[in-house]
């Protein structure tokens, strides 16, 4: 067949389309791989105690160069210049929006501030776990006083009294990236880093949709995700989700590229290996990234049965990256992994079952076993029906189920307190997991969920039809299996304290899936309408389907458009830091001080801090005795003991402290903590700190 003749004037445009598609794809894949490599480098260097600016930033530059080199040359989908420009504009716009409205969550009341303080600790102490000079706290006997500890929420005390250390919660990935941002730009740099990680993740969604669905519809998917409030909310603060979504979406993009029809075997293996490394590497950022790694197993099995070249590299990449993540977790976050074992053990069990079934399926297929003809004939319709039934079952759960956990779980006490304050029946064991579909509907609207479910069923029918017909599975099948499986597991068991907008972080993978499925519906209806219906009707169908997603999303996000959560908190922390002197030893003497201030004092103020347990604080005589012992020990080592209270000065007065002074006195706005309705406003939070010196006797 003769080659098509392309007019000379069109050649620059075609080259531009190919170049724009290649650059945007490589930008996404390289950024995602950089996060994984940076996490590995940081883990090794922090364990050795040398995560210092010169060493760390050099390692990150090398990781960036390696990531760009590795991701170069992979085949990509050509993007019309207007599509590429639209995707870049949407991503940059989302980054600017999140940057201008970034939060200042500094006190570890939420996970975002815990991630920030962990990053600051890593940036200033250069190691993980954080070694504590026992002389700076008055000697080892101080930690042997009942109720006196280095621990605080999200920061564990490890080691012995003679050689203590502090192990921050969570995986090392966010600390790696945010500590580098702290070195480069201080607090502002750390606050802005998640905004631009989320912006790259928005770009990843656009490139992924362009690769699997078609370029023209990718801006709609990217824009709808960037507009969704849970996405915006996490992009404004130092959560792990912006980084995790970038890495995971990069992994799905790698899988989609590996499954393209027009790709060489060598390129398919490269893309498959990269996709596996990124999906498995998500666990370096979030421990529950193990869930998506497990969901890669059926993709590997289906691909291996069809003898696709990327099957083995995909499995190898995911396995190696997961093994590295597990090793890093055990070395750097063992206490945290132990605390969430109740969630991880079922995932491991699911992984074992999935691995056995996948291996058995491959072995049977290799021996020539095929599904009976009747099963093959009914499989597509059955699978589509199962998808619809599962969706209806999840949506209807509030009618027939109330999900509870153990009332002894610490989260149950939190929920009970929230229920009491909101006038709800007291049932602290409730997880409200039966309402997860309702949570989704809050942010994208019920009509979008219905459309998404129907499209998911149709895609299940289409993919399984290709399978039974012996045709090669399309590149979108693997990403769809991982995304829909992860969404199902999340909606079934979100595994988080169910207060909003806190709990809405769990929807960050489900929401993009809904957006992409609705975009798929709009694209499909438009194509069919173009062929069979008048142009005006086509426009109504296309625009109407798109608006079914965009209008509810915009209306839900509008009240939060300019929120700056806890803005002013950094200034309050700076005021406290100016009120203490090098060599001071701070002792927390009330509950709020113990919960919020120890890591801030160590990392940002550069002074040592001890906390007290609730059992010690509930015994005034024991607390006074402990204060006297700590004071004597600190004095013997040349340190001044300072008492800190953050609830009220009453606890200082009860201890007979002298020189009581208030060093922080401000109000900020924080997220509400709602259980049964969508948040649409902020609430006031007082930031008060009093310092005093203990009585000499």
């Amino acid at each position: 067949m003769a080659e098509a003749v392309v007019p000379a004037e069109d050649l620059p445009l075609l080259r531009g389309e190919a170049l724009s598609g290649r650059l945007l794809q490589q930008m996404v894949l390289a950024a995602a791989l950089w996060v994984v490599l940076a996490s590995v480098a940081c883990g090794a260097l922090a364990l050795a105690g040398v995560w210092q600016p010169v060493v760390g930033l050099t390692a990150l530059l090398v990781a960036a160069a390696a990531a760009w080199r590795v991701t170069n040359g992979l085949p990509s989908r050509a993007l019309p210049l207007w599509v590429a420009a639209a995707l870049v504009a949407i991503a940059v716009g989302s980054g600017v929006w999140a940057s201008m409205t970034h939060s200042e969550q500094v006190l570890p009341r939420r996970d975002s501030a815990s991630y920030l303080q962990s990053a600051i600790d890593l940036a200033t102490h250069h190691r993980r776990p954080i070694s504590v000079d026992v002389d700076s706290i008055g000697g080892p006997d101080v930690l042997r006083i009942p109720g006196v500890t280095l621990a605080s929420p999200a920061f564990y005390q490890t080691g012995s009294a003679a050689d203590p250390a502090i192990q921050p919660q969570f995986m090392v990935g966010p600390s790696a990236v945010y500590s580098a941002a702290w070195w480069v730009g201080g607090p502002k740099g750390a606050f802005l880093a998640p905004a631009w990680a989320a912006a790259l993740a928005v770009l990843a969604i656009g490139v992924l949709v362009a690769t699997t669905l078609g370029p023209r519809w990718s801006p709609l998917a990217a824009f709808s995700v960037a507009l969704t409030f849970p996405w915006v909310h996490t992009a404004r603060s130092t959560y792990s989700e912006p980084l995790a979504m970038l890495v995971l979406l990069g992994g799905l993009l790698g899988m989609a590229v590996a499954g393209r029809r027009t790709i060489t075997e060598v390129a398919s293996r490269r893309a498959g290996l990269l996709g596996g490394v990124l999906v498995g590497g998500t666990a370096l950022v979030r421990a529950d990234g193990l869930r998506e790694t497990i969901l890669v197993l059926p993709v590997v099995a289906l691909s291996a049965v069809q003898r696709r070249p990327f099957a083995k590299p995909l499995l190898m990449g995911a396995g190696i990256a997961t093994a590295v993540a597990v090793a890093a977790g055990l070395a750097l976050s063992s206490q945290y992994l132990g605390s969430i074992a109740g969630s991880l053990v079922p995932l491991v069990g699911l992984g074992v079952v999935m691995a056995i079934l996948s291996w058995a399926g491959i072995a049977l297929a290799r021996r020539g076993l095929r599904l009976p003809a009747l099963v093959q004939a009914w499989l597509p319709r059955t699978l589509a029906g199962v998808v619809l039934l599962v969706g209806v079952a999840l949506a209807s759960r509030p009618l027939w189920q109330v999900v509870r956990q153990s009332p002894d779980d610490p989260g149950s006490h939190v929920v009970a307190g929230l229920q009491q304050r909101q006038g709800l029946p007291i049932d602290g064991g409730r997880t409200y997991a039966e309402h997860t579909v309702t949570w989704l509907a809050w942010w994208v609207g019920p009509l979008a969920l219905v459309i998404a479910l129907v499209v998911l069923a149709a895609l299940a029918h289409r993919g399984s039809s290709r399978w039974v017909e012996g045709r090669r599975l399309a590149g979108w099948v693997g990403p769809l299996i991982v995304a829909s499986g992860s969404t199902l597991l999340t909606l079934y068991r979100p595994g988080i304290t169910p207060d909003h907008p806190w709990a809405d972080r769990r929807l960050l993978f489900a929401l993009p899936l809904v957006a992409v499925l609705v975009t798929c519906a709009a694209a499909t209806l438009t194509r069919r309408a173009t062929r069979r219906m008048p142009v005006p009707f086509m426009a109504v169908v296309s625009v109407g389907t798109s608006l079914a997603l965009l209008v509810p999303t915009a209306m839900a996000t509008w009240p939060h458009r300019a929120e700056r959560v806890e803005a002013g908190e950094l200034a309050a922390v700076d005021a406290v830091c100016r009120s203490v002197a090098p060599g001071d030893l701070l002792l927390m003497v009330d509950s709020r001080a113990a919960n919020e201030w120890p890591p801030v004092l160590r990392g940002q103020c550069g002074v040592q801090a001890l906390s007290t347990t609730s059992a010690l604080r509930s015994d005034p005589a024991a607390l006074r005795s402990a204060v006297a012992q700590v004071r004597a020990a600190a004095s013997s080592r040349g340190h001044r003991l300072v008492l800190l209270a953050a609830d009220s000065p009453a606890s200082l007065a009860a201890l007979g402290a002298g020189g009581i002074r208030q060093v922080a006195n401000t109000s900020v706005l924080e997220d509400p903590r709602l259980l049964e309705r969508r948040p649409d406003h902020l609430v006031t939070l007082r930031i008060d700190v009093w310092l005093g010196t203990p009585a000499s006797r």
Side-chain angles (χ1 to χ4, degrees):
M1 180 181 294
E3 293 183 356
V5 178
V6 180
E9 62 268 22
D10 288 347
L11 286 175
L13 175 62
L14 294 177
R15 292 194 191 102
E17 291 178 351
L19 180 62
S20 62
R22 181 174 66 82
L23 284 178
L24 293 189
Q25 175 179 288
Q26 187 174 0
M27 187 182 302
V28 168
L29 293 174
L33 183 58
W34 177 81
V35 173
V36 173
L37 296 178
S39 302
V40 174
C42 176
L45 295 173
L47 196 61
V50 293
W51 184 249
Q52 298 171 342
V54 173
V55 177
L57 293 177
T58 300
L60 296 184
L61 288 174
V62 172
W68 188 259
R69 177 70 179 272
V70 168
T71 56
N72 186 41
L74 289 175
S76 59
R77 182 74 178 262
L79 296 182
L81 296 183
W82 73 267
V83 171
L87 290 178
V88 171
I90 292 167
V92 171
S94 69
V96 171
W97 182 18
S99 297
M100 293 178 64
T101 56
H102 71 80
S103 75
E104 285 189 4
Q105 296 184 13
V106 182
L107 297 176
R109 299 170 51 82
R110 302 275 187 169
D111 281 358
S112 57
S114 298
Y115 280 114
L116 175 66
Q117 293 304 327
S118 176
I120 294 171
D121 279 343
L122 188 57
T124 55
H125 293 91
H126 315 304
R127 65 171 60 247
R128 185 169 180 179
I130 304 160
S131 297
V132 177
D133 179 4
V134 74
D135 286 336
S136 68
I137 59 172
D141 288 341
V142 167
L143 295 180
R144 298 189 179 104
I145 300 171
V148 176
T149 178
L150 291 166
S152 60
F155 293 83
Y156 304 94
Q157 178 181 315
T158 60
S160 64
D163 186 22
I166 300 169
Q167 186 184 93
Q169 193 170 300
F170 306 124
M171 302 300 285
V172 72
S175 296
V177 175
Y178 297 148
S179 64
W182 181 272
W183 285 334
V184 173
K188 195 74 171 181
F191 290 143
L192 297 184
W196 294 101
L200 285 168
V202 168
L203 184 61
I205 291 170
V207 176
L208 178 60
V209 172
T211 301
T212 54
L213 180 60
R216 289 187 302 168
W217 291 95
S218 56
L220 173 61
F223 180 68
S224 59
V225 172
L227 192 61
T228 307
F229 172 68
W231 188 278
V232 177
H233 184 256
T234 54
R236 288 170 168 168
S237 196
T238 47
Y239 288 106
S240 63
E241 278 81 3
L243 298 171
M245 290 304 300
L246 171 60
V247 175
L248 181 55
L249 288 166
L252 298 187
L253 176 58
M255 291 170 60
V257 171
R260 291 184 61 185
R261 288 180 299 175
T262 56
I263 188 172
T264 65
E265 286 194 10
V266 173
S268 180
R269 292 191 185 97
R270 280 187 60 202
L273 180 64
L274 177 61
V277 167
L278 293 178
V279 175
T282 306
L284 282 162
V285 181
R286 288 186 59 81
D288 60 6
L290 179 63
R291 175 180 57 214
E292 283 73 39
T293 304
I294 290 169
L295 292 168
V296 166
L297 292 174
V299 179
V300 170
L302 293 173
S303 304
V305 169
Q306 291 194 331
R307 300 187 182 279
R308 304 293 294 276
F310 65 84
K312 187 175 180 179
L314 176 62
L315 179 62
M316 289 178 57
I320 292 171
T322 302
V324 171
V326 170
L330 292 174
L332 303 170
S333 308
S334 58
Q335 298 291 319
Y336 169 59
L337 295 182
S339 70
I340 61 170
S343 297
L344 292 181
V345 170
L347 270 181
V348 173
L350 176 63
V352 171
V353 172
M354 197 78 75
I356 293 172
L357 292 177
S358 299
W359 174 82
I362 295 172
L364 292 174
R366 293 279 171 86
R367 293 181 180 181
L369 183 65
R370 295 290 182 268
L371 294 174
L374 182 62
V375 174
Q376 293 190 40
W378 279 92
L379 181 62
R381 281 170 286 184
T382 301
L383 192 56
V386 168
V387 170
L388 293 174
L389 287 175
V390 170
V392 171
L394 287 172
S396 65
R397 287 172 81 190
L399 301 177
W400 49 271
Q401 186 180 32
V402 175
V403 182
R404 291 185 174 87
Q405 64 180 356
S406 169
D408 298 325
D409 188 277
S412 298
H413 304 297
V414 174
V415 171
L418 294 174
Q419 290 167 333
Q420 184 177 27
R421 289 192 291 272
Q422 295 171 33
L424 301 173
I426 307 300
D427 184 1
R430 285 198 66 180
T431 68
Y432 294 86
E434 69 272 16
H435 290 283
T436 49
V437 175
T438 303
W439 300 353
L440 273 178
W442 284 349
W443 304 114
V444 296
L447 182 55
L449 295 184
V450 173
I451 294 172
L453 180 61
V454 172
V455 173
L456 184 59
L459 291 175
H461 185 281
R462 182 179 176 185
S464 55
S465 294
R466 292 178 65 92
W467 175 263
V468 298
E469 291 168 6
R471 292 188 292 164
R472 191 167 64 172
L473 292 178
W476 52 263
V477 172
L480 183 65
I481 289 174
V482 175
S484 56
S486 178
T487 297
L488 172 62
L489 293 174
T490 299
L491 294 179
Y492 175 71
R493 187 180 184 277
I496 192 170
T497 304
D499 57 326
H500 302 271
W502 174 270
D504 295 319
R505 296 182 301 140
R506 285 293 189 266
L507 307 178
L508 245 66
F509 203 19
L511 288 167
L513 176 62
V514 172
V516 171
L517 292 174
V518 174
T519 300
C520 182
T524 302
L525 291 173
T526 300
R527 289 167 183 162
R528 293 185 178 181
T530 302
R531 300 189 190 105
R532 305 176 186 176
M533 300 175 187
V535 173
F537 186 81
M538 174 198 74
V540 170
V541 170
S542 175
V543 173
T545 304
S546 302
L547 291 180
L549 173 64
L550 292 177
V551 171
T553 297
M555 292 177 64
T557 302
W558 180 257
H560 308 280
R561 63 194 179 280
E563 288 178 349
R564 288 203 59 206
V565 176
E566 298 180 36
E569 201 166 271
L570 182 62
V573 169
D574 288 340
V576 173
C577 291
R578 290 192 299 269
S579 302
V580 297
D584 283 352
L585 173 61
L586 279 291
L587 179 65
M588 313 298 107
V589 295
D590 63 23
S591 61
R592 192 163 172 191
N595 288 335
E596 298 176 7
W597 282 95
V600 177
L601 293 165
R602 295 189 195 104
Q604 290 183 252
C605 300
V607 296
Q608 195 51 263
L610 291 167
S611 192
T612 52
T613 63
S614 58
L616 177 60
R617 295 192 300 271
S618 64
D619 187 339
L623 180 58
R624 284 193 295 270
S625 174
V627 169
Q629 293 178 70
V630 175
R631 178 186 175 278
S635 297
S636 69
R637 305 293 175 112
H639 301 293
R640 182 182 67 144
L641 180 65
V642 179
L643 307 182
L644 187 149
D647 283 321
S648 76
S651 55
L652 294 176
L655 290 168
I660 298 175
R661 66 193 192 279
Q662 187 168 12
V663 296
N665 177 18
T666 189
S667 294
V668 298
L669 295 176
E670 69 164 346
D671 291 313
R673 305 185 69 174
L674 303 176
L675 294 173
E676 292 191 338
R677 62 187 179 91
R678 182 179 71 195
D680 57 6
H681 66 289
L682 299 179
V683 296
T684 301
L685 171 69
R686 287 289 306 170
I687 305 293
D688 296 295
V689 172
W690 295 267
L691 300 180
T693 54
S696 58
R697 292 187 181 183

